[in-house]
Amino acid sequence: MKPPGRRNLALTITIALAVKALLLYGLWYAFFSHPQTKKMRLPTEQVEKHLLALPAPTLSEKVNHGTRR
């Protein structure tokens, strides 16, 4: 037989996870499920090119160029 506290703990954790899942779904639905306008669509190639491009060097990398001061 299990101790009486174990079942209560499992129930509490299950309820907490269900509430978190509902909150995450609500946030996704509120902010990410629909674009702001119907015309806000970008071509897939343009998005891929932007996301997969190499990052531009920062100002400190240009100035110091590997030397310490």
Side-chain angles (χ1 to χ4, degrees), residues 7-20:
R7 186 172 184 162
N8 192 17
L9 179 62
L11 181 64
T12 304
I13 291 173
T14 303
I15 291 172
L17 288 174
V19 168
K20 284 183 178 185

Side-chain angles (χ1 to χ4, degrees), residues 42-55:
L42 290 174
T44 305
E45 296 86 20
Q46 184 180 357
V47 175
E48 286 176 352
K49 189 186 305 183
H50 180 76
L51 291 176
L52 299 176
L54 293 174

Side-chain angles (χ1 to χ4, degrees), residues 13-35:
I13 291 173
T14 303
I15 291 172
L17 288 174
V19 168
K20 284 183 178 185
L22 286 172
L23 286 173
L24 284 174
Y25 176 75
L27 286 171
W28 171 81
Y29 186 78
F31 296 108
F32 298 107
S33 64
H34 305 292

